[in-house]
Structure formats: structure tokens, C-alpha cells
Amino acid sequence: MKLQSLVLATAAALTMTTAFAIPAGTWTVAAGAHYVDPKSDNGTLLDGDVSVDVDGDVRPTISGEYFIANNVGIELLAAIPFHHDITFTAPNGNIIEGKTQHLPPTLSLQYHFDGYNMPMNVKPFIGIGVNYTTFFEEKINFPGVELNLDDSVGVAGHIGLDIPFAPTEAFRIDARYMDIKTDASLDGADIGEIDISPWVYGVAFVKTF
């Protein structure tokens, strides 16, 4: 009898989860802002002679997600260009400043824990995907020298929480890890790799269609 009760309770829970899951075919759009926070050690150039520091930046973002199955969605994140100051420090302490802009579109496969009777009906989610970062407008404050940063492709992880405040609207808090490494060159000569690999923290308004 206990086993039968457990089976019936499990079946009921699964039925409830399915009934309240985000159904396949659903679209969501999220508009907000994200802060790109590069890792603290961004590598060294010129065989370790020059250390690199990349600062953070915040910009508006937008993402769209299509649910290919119940609670399972494919999301594309886009943003306006992020701006980063870059500090190059030589062993003698001399500093040369540089800067760049980048666009980091990210495609993720995500699972939403909807229909699990969470407190306040919050809806956690996790995701994993790929990030493509393209750099442009690179500049370095060294007369007659041109800085170039190659585009980057790497894995991206995503975790977040949707807090509903209306049937089709929610407030989102999320964090992403992006594996972003770029080969740097001066006047076409390779000088090493800059490892940005940031955590990206954000908030957004989410609308479901």
C-alpha cells in the first residue's frame, strides 16, 4: 500500500509539473542590462614581459528564447557594444593604455524549473551554449602602432531566476560565464593571448508570448 501510494503521489506530481510547465512553442523576450566583469588576471604578452588588465562595462541587452519542448528553450543573447579600457604594464612599471569594443552574441540551450512549486512561484533556470565575441575599434596609446584583437569562440554557462509579477511578465536576475580569449597583435605581429573570460551579471524584464 505504501508503494502504491508513493507511485500515485509521484504520478500526480509529474502530472502537475507537466500541466504547469512552460509549453513547447512559447516565446519569451527579455530586455535589461548586463555588467561584463573580466577575470582578475588577464594574462601576459611578449613572453611574459607585459601584464594585461581589462576593466568591466555595463550595457543594455536583449534576448529571445523559443521553447522547443516543455521547459526547454533555445536563447540568443544580444547587446549594444561593450567598451573596455585595457592597461598594459611593463616590468619597469611603465603603463600604456588601450581600449576596445566588442559584441558577444551567445546562443544557449536552457532548462527552466517551472511547475516545481517553488516559493513565490519563482522559476530558476540553467543553460549551456556557445559565445562568439567580435572585437573592433581597438586602440593603443602608442604612436604609430596598431592593436588588433582576434575574434573569440568559447563555451558559455548560464544560471538565473525569473520572479513572476503577472501571468506573462517576470523580473529576471541572471549570471553567465563566458570563455573569451583573444590573440593580440601589434602591427600584425603576434604578441600573445588576452584572457578576458568574464562573469556577466544582469537584470531584465521578461515578457512571455
Side-chain angles (χ1 to χ4, degrees), residues 2-202:
K2 290 183 179 180
L3 179 59
Q4 182 180 7
S5 298
L6 180 60
V7 171
L8 290 174
T10 303
L14 289 175
T15 301
M16 182 177 295
T17 297
T18 302
F20 290 95
I22 302 174
T26 299
W27 280 93
T28 66
V29 174
H34 282 78
Y35 174 69
V36 173
D37 184 22
K39 59 176 294 190
S40 57
D41 180 7
N42 302 126
T44 57
L45 304 175
L46 296 173
D47 296 325
D49 289 337
V50 176
S51 63
V52 184
D53 181 70
V54 182
D55 77 348
D57 190 32
V58 60
R59 284 291 185 268
T61 57
I62 188 168
S63 65
E65 185 171 9
Y66 177 74
F67 285 77
I68 58 175
N70 289 353
N71 287 349
V72 179
I74 296 178
E75 183 212 51
L76 178 63
L77 172 71
I80 67 172
F82 288 90
H83 297 236
H84 296 282
D85 290 329
I86 307 173
T87 302
F88 303 94
T89 305
N92 61 6
N94 288 342
I95 292 176
I96 298 176
E97 300 291 344
K99 57 184 177 181
T100 187
Q101 299 183 39
H102 83 265
L103 285 171
T106 304
L107 186 68
S108 301
L109 178 67
Q110 306 196 139
Y111 183 80
H112 294 252
F113 296 89
D114 193 9
Y116 288 82
N117 295 323
M118 298 286 184
M120 298 175 59
N121 197 32
V122 298
K123 303 174 182 180
F125 60 87
I126 57 174
I128 189 168
V130 62
N131 164 261
Y132 174 78
T133 298
T134 181
F135 296 89
F136 55 97
E137 296 293 336
E138 304 100 314
K139 295 180 181 178
I140 187 169
N141 294 334
F142 199 89
V145 175
E146 182 178 341
L147 172 67
N148 181 261
L149 303 177
D150 289 348
D151 293 350
S152 167
V153 178
V155 69
H158 192 198
I159 186 170
L161 187 70
D162 287 339
I163 306 171
F165 58 85
T168 60
E169 298 172 349
F171 175 74
R172 173 171 293 176
I173 304 171
D174 69 342
R176 302 172 190 263
Y177 174 79
M178 298 182 179
D179 180 26
I180 301 177
K181 299 180 177 70
T182 175
D183 291 326
S185 61
L186 290 177
D187 288 341
D190 293 338
I191 59 173
E193 181 183 78
I194 298 177
D195 186 0
I196 300 173
S197 297
W199 279 95
V200 183
Y201 308 102

